[in-house]
Amino acid sequence: MHLIDSLPRLLFPTRRRGLQWLKEQLQALGVRAPLSPGCLDEFVASAAKAATLTASSSETYAACLRRELDARAQFIHLWTTSDDKLARPEWSEWLEIARKHLLPRSWKIQLTTATETRRDDSFKVPERLIVKGTNGARSARPLTSADDLPGAQILSDLKRAGDKS
């Protein structure tokens, strides 16, 4: 334990030491996501506030701050490496910070599979509704010119109606 770790809360360099500890813990956890300086500052400030509220008489401020920073580093690691729903009530403040600073999340792509389905005869088109040509098979009318296309008569009628006005 360093001499600086035994300093009381009012003399302790919370921001500088807190940032250093948080970065070290994130590096130890393998967090590779880029975190903005503002995001890190807010997590350190949150940890400092919680450290003053949860400190016990037998624990130094530095030890309590380190414990709080470790909890936030674990949260950041979980946030950036999974896409699980994080809904613990004690994480609500951390969730706000993560969303505010657009902390990236890891997304899992669900594997999809194609399945073949066969339908029974109830889905079949009834024979009486199938129109057949003269030779018993479906007849496709051969197209010999652009005038044989479906709708050609309608287009020519519209064109003639436009010429009269």
Side-chain angles (χ1 to χ4, degrees), residues 66-85:
R66 185 180 282 275
R67 181 174 32 88
E68 292 293 332
L69 288 170
D70 287 345
R72 281 146 182 82
Q74 290 289 337
F75 168 78
I76 293 169
H77 178 260
L78 186 62
W79 178 270
T80 57
T81 58
S82 75
D83 66 346
D84 298 335
K85 184 174 176 132

Side-chain angles (χ1 to χ4, degrees), residues 9 46-61 63-69 71-72 94:
R9 183 181 67 83
S46 169
K49 186 174 90 176
T52 59
L53 297 174
T54 62
S56 65
S57 60
S58 63
E59 187 178 35
T60 65
Y61 173 73
C64 191
L65 179 64
R66 185 180 282 275
R67 181 174 32 88
E68 292 293 332
L69 288 170
R72 281 146 182 82
W94 306 346

Side-chain angles (χ1 to χ4, degrees), residues 79 86 92 94-103 105:
W79 178 270
L86 305 175
S92 63
W94 306 346
L95 289 168
E96 288 177 24
I97 295 171
R99 289 182 180 129
K100 176 182 174 185
H101 292 280
L102 302 175
L103 212 60
R105 295 217 57 195

